[in-house]
Amino acid sequence: MHGTVDGFSYGLVTPLVAYVMACLGGALGLRCTTRARLVAHSWRPGWLALGSAAIGSGIWTMHFIAMMGFTVAGAPIHYDKPTTYASLGVAVIMVGVGIFIVGYRGATGTALFTGGTVTGLGIASMHYLGMAGMRFSGKLEYNTFTVSVSVAIAMAAATAALWAAGQVRGFAWSVGASLVMGLAVTGMHYTGMAALSVHLHATGTPTEGDSPAALLAPMLIGPLAFLLLAGVVVVFDPLMGVGRPDRTRAEHMPGVPAHPPVRHSAGRPAPRARRRLPHRESRTPQNR
């Protein structure tokens, strides 16, 4: 028989908090990717890895905060921990592939298509693998068309986010991009949930169990702590507030490449701007 599904047991609280977490992970990841493009190659993998983990953790946390509001009437839900944490690993690894492609090749057409496709499939895989970790007295069925729409949304969101990360602009640009990314990722989640239908096994009397919030809260502690630490690293990094490094400070910072002087097309150094002296009244021989 069909189960009665409620995806908003706590009203708008879980969707809003889930959206905030998706934006937070996206903002941290985009700033780390931008930072990676401003440093020497030896430092770049570390920043790209931090950005991948931030985006993956943010998306995973968003998913399971949203799932706190998901209930099935008469069928208590449990979560298989190995499968649940495996979905986190899939998110981080596949997002990392896209981040590293753009981080090293730039926001070119081929890199964006490849990285966006891999990252979008990673987001979708995380979602459906996380759903596969649910345990209850029934089974899940999905509408194929709606699932395809959710995957397309994930791929479009990932491509847009990687493009934004490759622009190397200021902090406000990354904030705006992360808000759009959070909206797209959250929209992908609820589109995927709209494709879901639940069929319960005939077990007789409905049973009660722990709430999804009580089951998921302990699992979220680790990713939330990681996002907090990543936020501290990003906030206190001296180059995070700008879209490009300040030349005078960057020369004394580890991991920031030296910037050669700007050259004309003929290969000669650009001339220095003449210092303009204050205007004085010209003195002619007649005025002496």
Side-chain angles (χ1 to χ4, degrees):
M1 62 178 177
H2 285 279
T4 302
V5 174
D6 184 3
F8 303 93
S9 300
Y10 298 98
L12 294 178
V13 174
T14 47
L16 289 177
V17 176
Y19 172 70
V20 170
M21 296 310 302
C23 292
L24 175 61
L28 295 175
L30 292 178
R31 292 312 296 166
C32 289
T33 306
T34 298
R35 180 67 167 84
R37 298 192 64 200
L38 303 177
V39 300
H41 284 276
S42 60
W43 289 73
R44 187 171 296 180
W47 283 105
L48 293 176
L50 181 62
S52 304
I55 295 178
S57 297
I59 294 172
W60 186 87
T61 305
M62 174 278 301
H63 171 83
F64 284 102
I65 287 179
M67 290 304 295
M68 287 183 177
F70 179 83
T71 58
V72 179
I77 298 173
H78 299 275
Y79 289 88
D80 179 66
K81 289 184 179 180
T83 306
T84 301
Y85 289 127
S87 66
L88 173 61
V90 168
V92 172
I93 292 173
M94 296 191 71
V95 167
V97 172
I99 291 291
F100 271 78
I101 289 175
V102 172
Y104 279 96
R105 295 186 175 273
T108 61
T110 303
L112 284 176
F113 176 78
T114 305
T117 299
V118 175
T119 303
L121 291 176
I123 296 172
S125 299
M126 180 280 303
H127 174 87
Y128 291 106
L129 183 58
M131 296 297 294
M134 294 174 55
R135 299 289 183 266
F136 66 100
S137 182
K139 64 178 181 177
L140 305 176
E141 292 186 358
Y142 293 94
N143 179 275
T144 304
F145 174 77
T146 311
V147 169
S148 301
V149 172
S150 70
V151 174
I153 293 174
M155 294 171 62
T159 303
L162 294 177
W163 175 81
Q167 300 308 302
V168 194
R169 298 187 182 181
F171 183 76
W173 173 268
S174 292
V175 171
S178 66
L179 293 177
V180 175
M181 180 182 178
L183 181 63
V185 172
T186 307
M188 175 270 159
H189 171 84
Y190 284 102
T191 302
M193 296 304 294
L196 175 68
S197 62
V198 175
H199 293 267
L200 297 179
H201 300 315
T203 56
T205 306
T207 57
E208 298 294 334
D210 295 333
S211 66
L215 295 170
L216 293 173
M219 299 185 189
L220 296 173
I221 294 176
L224 287 172
F226 171 79
L227 289 174
L228 177 62
L229 292 176
V232 171
V233 172
V234 169
V235 168
F236 286 96
D237 183 79
L239 296 183
M240 277 300 167
V242 294
R244 56 187 178 185
D246 180 75
R247 184 175 299 179
T248 58
R249 291 188 302 165
E251 293 174 352
H252 305 286
M253 292 181 182
V256 180
H259 293 264
V262 179
R263 296 182 179 272
H264 290 301
S265 57
R268 295 174 297 177
R272 295 182 179 179
R274 291 186 177 181
R275 182 180 180 184
R276 302 187 63 178
L277 299 175
H279 176 71
R280 294 182 179 179
E281 183 180 358
S282 61
R283 300 178 65 184
T284 61
Q286 293 80 359
N287 293 334
R288 292 181 178 176

